[in-house]
Amino acid sequence: MELSDSQRMNLRLTAMRYGARDILLYELEPLDGSVLPPVTAGAHLDLHLPDGLIRQYSLISSLCDAQRYVVGVKRDAEGRGGSRWLHDQARVGQMLEVSLPRNHFPLSSAQTPVCLIAGGIGITPIYSMFKALQQSGRAVHLHYWSRSAEHALFHRELENAPDVTLHFASASGPQSDLQAVLAGLPGETEVYACGPSTMLDQLESSGLGERLHVERFVSAGPVMAEGAFSVVLARSGHEYVIPPGETILNVLLEAGEDVLYSCEQGVCGACEVTVLEGEPVHGDTVYSADEHTRRRSMMICCSSSASPRLLLDI
């Protein structure tokens, strides 16, 4: 099943305001004055758009409260359509269905220093983290790459902040700037990053290991097994063969199984299940393979199996 009605809310779009060039801030409020679930830095929600698209957007937690959720959306003319609909067709007063907030990108509770790295619209979860860390008193420095001041969300708030370095397009280029930032980090510093895939790829190959935490909103696509494998649902004993080129989720849905899912792209985390036996091959961008091993989990919308059989806690 998709996220059930109890896991969705109908909220009214009460404001759309300018954030930066090509970026708008959207405010959503409940109709009846009910209290919204709390939001922590790094959390996101699913927006269910009227044309059937489901898209994930980071909540700007410092602007959210019990009566209001706020997300920032950059119009991407070459994207998959969600941002174009929001920028071109959304109107104040419309009702939009949204999921409950989920947070797969939380700040750790350690007291080590934090380096926050944002590129482009990746500033939305990172800005929330920056405000939360400042409030907690934990040492933090934010590096934010953007094309220009005009394109930088929260530029006015950040331009004179002592713990912020803004990087605009320059002759040296963002990659060399990023390498210089990483080279100057104390060894115990945790790094949280959100931005373009090229930036995150560079970070993941930089040797930071478990000190690095990234969030991606674009999936590389599902991992498909070259051969068939079987999936056994531990709670019912039902067993299904997953043929080459097919996803576990699709096979289970076609069989009428009651499974939770949302984005079907490996970015929202709604379809995470516990793996009791077997060796999954992960295709999502929510967790690293090591983190999945620690959690004993997989996302069934986009992941496959290296073993002939998976036993899942479904």
Side-chain angles (χ1 to χ4, degrees):
M1 62 178 179
E2 292 183 75
L3 293 178
S4 66
D5 290 343
S6 63
Q7 295 168 310
R8 296 185 191 175
M9 302 170 286
N10 286 308
L11 302 183
R12 187 182 298 285
L13 180 59
T14 54
M16 298 166 55
R17 59 188 174 90
Y18 184 82
R21 183 170 177 177
D22 299 327
I23 299 175
L24 295 177
L25 297 176
Y26 296 80
E27 299 184 7
L28 298 150
E29 299 181 7
L31 276 179
D32 57 1
S34 57
V35 175
L36 293 171
V39 174
T40 54
H44 71 271
L45 53 67
D46 301 338
L47 276 183
H48 295 251
L49 304 179
D51 58 3
L53 294 175
I54 304 172
R55 293 291 181 264
Q56 290 69 46
Y57 297 105
S58 291
L59 286 150
I60 302 171
S61 58
S62 59
L63 301 181
C64 297
D65 56 35
Q67 294 296 317
R68 179 179 66 163
Y69 284 161
V70 181
V71 298
V73 181
K74 178 183 178 182
R75 190 182 190 281
D76 184 355
E78 306 300 323
R80 295 169 294 140
S83 69
R84 291 199 302 274
W85 188 91
L86 283 164
H87 274 253
D88 300 346
Q89 300 185 51
R91 296 290 182 270
V92 171
Q94 282 182 298
M95 298 299 297
L96 292 175
E97 198 170 35
V98 308
S99 72
L100 297 178
R102 291 190 293 272
N103 196 344
H104 301 296
F105 190 43
L107 288 164
S108 77
S109 58
Q111 289 306 306
T112 51
V114 173
C115 175
L116 299 173
I117 295 176
I121 194 61
I123 187 63
T124 49
I126 297 299
Y127 181 79
S128 299
M129 291 178 163
F130 180 66
K131 301 298 285 186
L133 290 165
Q134 278 192 319
Q135 189 171 21
S136 70
R138 190 171 167 186
V140 58
H141 196 99
L142 166 62
H143 292 271
Y144 177 17
W145 275 265
S146 184
R147 288 175 58 188
S148 69
E150 183 184 13
H151 290 84
L153 186 61
F154 304 122
H155 176 258
R156 185 175 301 172
E157 293 87 340
L158 296 175
E159 63 177 337
N160 295 316
D163 297 323
V164 175
T165 303
L166 300 177
H167 304 257
F168 300 127
S170 66
S172 58
Q175 290 192 350
S176 57
D177 287 352
L178 182 57
Q179 289 169 354
V181 168
L182 297 179
L185 292 180
E188 72 277 16
T189 303
E190 284 192 87
V191 177
Y192 293 80
C194 187
S197 294
T198 50
M199 168 186 278
L200 301 183
D201 290 345
Q202 185 183 1
L203 285 166
E204 288 181 333
S205 63
S206 62
L208 288 167
E210 294 183 2
R211 291 189 292 130
L212 175 65
H213 313 270
V214 303
E215 182 170 60
R216 296 175 186 263
F217 279 107
V218 177
S219 169
V223 174
M224 299 296 184
E226 294 183 0
F229 63 94
S230 66
V231 166
V232 179
L233 309 189
R235 300 178 196 176
S236 64
H238 295 167
E239 182 167 353
Y240 300 97
V241 174
I242 313 300
E246 189 54 275
T247 67
I248 299 171
L249 177 63
N250 283 340
V251 170
L252 298 186
L253 290 177
E254 289 174 4
E257 294 289 349
D258 186 18
V259 290
L260 199 64
Y261 69 99
S262 182
C263 74
E264 302 182 66
Q265 301 172 63
V267 296
C268 78
C271 68
E272 183 180 17
V273 301
T274 298
V275 180
L276 301 174
E277 294 178 10
E279 186 180 351
V281 178
H282 304 289
D284 63 279
T285 62
V286 180
Y287 297 120
S288 67
D290 288 344
E291 181 63 20
H292 273 301
T293 299
R294 286 192 290 272
R295 298 172 64 89
R296 299 175 60 216
S297 72
M298 68 183 298
M299 307 297 177
I300 59 173
C301 72
C302 60
S303 302
S304 182
S305 180
S307 56
R309 177 178 178 272
L310 291 173
L311 178 62
L312 304 180
D313 186 19
I314 298 176

